[in-house]
Amino acid sequence: MQSGMKGENVILEVRNLSKFFRMGRHSVLKAVHDVSFSVRKGETLGLVGESGCGKTTCGRTSIGLYEKTSGSTLFNGKEIAQMKGKERKDLTKRVQMVFQDPYTSLDPKMKVHRLIAEGIRIHNIAANRNEEQEIVLDMLQKVGLHPSYAYRNIKEFSGGQRQRIGIARALAVQPEFLLCDEPISALDVSIQAQIMNLLMELQEKMGLTYLFIAHDLAVVKHFCDRIAVMYLGKIVEMGGSEEVYGHPLHPYTKALMSAVPIPDPDLEMGRKKILLSGESSSHMGEDRCRFADRCPYVSNQCRNEGPKMKEVAPGHWVACHQI
Ligand SMILES: Nc1ncnc2c1ncn2[C@@H]1O[C@H](COP(=O)(O)OP(=O)(O)OP(=O)(O)O)[C@@H](O)[C@H]1O
Ligand code: SF4
Ligand SMILES: [Mg+2]
């Protein structure tokens, strides 16, 4: 899946997007600040970064689930904020989410059938109950679960099975775009690869486009066509997976990469981990590089001026004064 772009058609275009949260009367938290990226039809863009850097906020604001503070987000060329009525409802069908924790995101009191059928009903996808039934059973099969599971209670299932049901629920409405927000990080390691493989297989079969949020870099590397690395509300580096993994340029990306475990023990032993020192700066400050307090290469310029994104190789973007 890493072999180049799967078509150049942009499905989601995010330009200078910001999302601030008001914190009390006089301060705002700039959870996402001036972020731009696009997702092409059929590809997977990975959004990575440490906990609290703004991945979920960025993902949700990008698809109109959170109201943006400024900037623009276009879905198939149309500004999401301007969509109303039928068009808006249609967007909620075309864009679906898979959540991190299948224990909290799926109502434990509900039967599997009802969970999967909910969206089908909201969007009038089935002509009648028979057709609805067919779609539900077909979805169960697509996610690798036995059709008889439809009549069981969600409580009876393991984490991996619940996540399969969560995926079936999202895909039952035939979406084009899936925001996967750390869909495997709550699962047992032994189950994670199965769910990733399922997501890949379904992407291929159903022509889906993914925005995939993760903090585990090893996962993203094998799964994503391109990667955007986030640090405190900003994208600091973005490019093709192989390019970003093979030639990370931003000091933060380098630090992240050096923490990725390498399976070969000899390599791992000889590997130098770049430790990040200092507290991470708050989201509040501006007019400086947000990574300045932790960066080994910091200069005065970094403390006075936030670096802008530059294209250093075709499709490879970095925001750092030293590059
Ligand atoms: N609804 C909200 N109100 C106020 N602050 C919020 C809200 N949602 C998120 N934040 C803050 O915005 C910042 C980014 O949070 P976000 O959940 O987007 O990060 P994340 O990268 O998804 O983290 P994680 O990896 O833990 O899921 C954090 O400082 C968080 O506390
Ligand atoms: S701009 Fe300066 S502080 Fe920021 S990452 Fe680059 S070198 Fe480090
Ligand atoms: Mg999150």
Side-chain angles (χ1 to χ4, degrees):
M1 202 172 298
Q2 291 167 26
S3 53
M5 302 300 174
K6 289 178 271 180
E8 290 298 313
N9 292 341
V10 169
I11 185 163
L12 180 70
E13 170 121 25
V14 172
R15 288 285 160 257
N16 307 107
L17 184 70
S18 293
K19 174 65 183 174
F20 300 167
F21 293 111
R22 188 153 284 288
M23 309 296 279
R25 260 222 217 159
H26 301 291
S27 63
V28 288
L29 186 140
K30 297 178 175 176
V32 173
H33 194 208
D34 197 14
V35 156
S36 300
F37 62 90
S38 53
V39 191
R40 296 172 181 85
K41 198 165 173 38
E43 79 165 336
T44 300
L45 175 70
L47 192 56
V48 297
E50 61 201 354
S51 186
C53 72
K55 303 180 295 296
T56 296
T57 307
C58 180
R60 291 187 175 197
T61 312
S62 299
I63 58 171
L65 272 180
Y66 288 171
E67 200 179 327
K68 69 191 179 195
T69 302
S70 60
S72 75
T73 56
L74 307 173
F75 189 77
N76 282 325
K78 185 92 204 243
E79 176 64 55
I80 289 177
Q82 282 165 10
M83 294 181 181
K84 296 207 169 62
K86 191 179 169 305
E87 208 174 15
R88 183 86 198 178
K89 191 177 173 197
D90 196 41
L91 180 79
T92 65
K93 174 184 114 56
R94 294 162 80 182
V95 175
Q96 293 291 313
M97 268 193 83
V98 177
F99 299 90
Q100 176 171 358
D101 188 348
Y103 287 90
T104 55
S105 59
L106 301 173
D107 185 345
K109 293 190 293 294
M110 279 166 91
K111 290 238 187 318
V112 172
H113 186 286
R114 198 162 143 224
L115 270 168
I116 300 178
E118 203 166 48
I120 301 175
R121 289 185 193 175
I122 290 171
H123 296 289
N124 291 320
I125 285 168
N128 51 46
R129 286 293 151 97
N130 275 348
E131 202 177 306
E132 176 186 294
Q133 172 89 345
E134 267 174 39
I135 300 174
V136 170
L137 300 185
D138 177 53
M139 280 319 306
L140 280 171
Q141 198 178 11
K142 279 205 170 85
V143 300
L145 295 175
H146 196 274
S148 64
Y149 288 6
Y151 306 100
R152 294 212 200 150
N153 202 293
I154 191 84
K155 276 201 299 255
E156 297 175 40
F157 295 100
S158 68
Q161 289 171 323
R162 286 185 198 208
Q163 197 57 301
R164 286 177 192 266
I165 294 162
I167 294 168
R169 176 178 155 89
L171 298 185
V173 298
Q174 298 150 12
E176 294 162 45
F177 188 97
L178 217 52
L179 172 59
C180 304
D181 193 349
E182 309 211 33
I184 61 163
S185 47
L187 305 177
D188 282 356
V189 176
S190 59
I191 306 295
Q192 292 183 348
Q194 292 175 18
I195 298 295
M196 293 304 288
N197 288 339
L198 175 68
L199 283 169
M200 272 201 252
E201 191 189 302
L202 292 169
Q203 177 174 46
E204 197 78 25
K205 267 194 201 149
M206 300 175 76
L208 295 161
T209 305
Y210 292 163
L211 177 56
F212 191 91
I213 295 175
H215 61 256
D216 183 340
L217 286 167
V219 164
V220 185
K221 183 179 179 190
H222 296 295
F223 189 65
C224 299
D225 300 286
R226 290 188 303 130
I227 298 174
V229 180
M230 245 185 131
Y231 184 77
L232 281 182
K234 294 263 190 196
I235 290 178
V236 296
E237 182 158 5
M238 184 162 58
S241 292
E242 286 180 9
E243 173 85 2
V244 173
Y245 275 89
H247 312 280
L249 293 173
H250 192 280
Y252 177 63
T253 316
K254 285 185 178 172
L256 270 184
M257 300 297 169
S258 75
V260 178
I262 297 181
D264 184 330
D266 295 337
L267 277 177
E268 179 64 8
M269 295 237 311
R271 201 142 193 248
K272 205 169 127 230
K273 286 196 169 63
I274 302 170
L275 293 175
L276 299 173
S277 59
E279 289 294 305
S280 56
S281 330
S282 84
H283 286 267
M284 319 256 181
E286 221 38 82
D287 297 332
R288 69 202 302 273
C289 173
R290 291 185 170 198
F291 192 54
D293 293 343
R294 300 169 85 187
C295 182
Y297 312 104
V298 61
S299 69
N300 273 342
Q301 187 189 12
C302 311
R303 295 200 174 90
N304 295 319
E305 188 188 333
K308 300 236 180 321
M309 275 289 215
K310 285 184 292 240
E311 192 171 21
V312 292
H316 189 171
W317 295 78
V318 187
C320 173
H321 291 307
Q322 307 296 329
I323 288 153

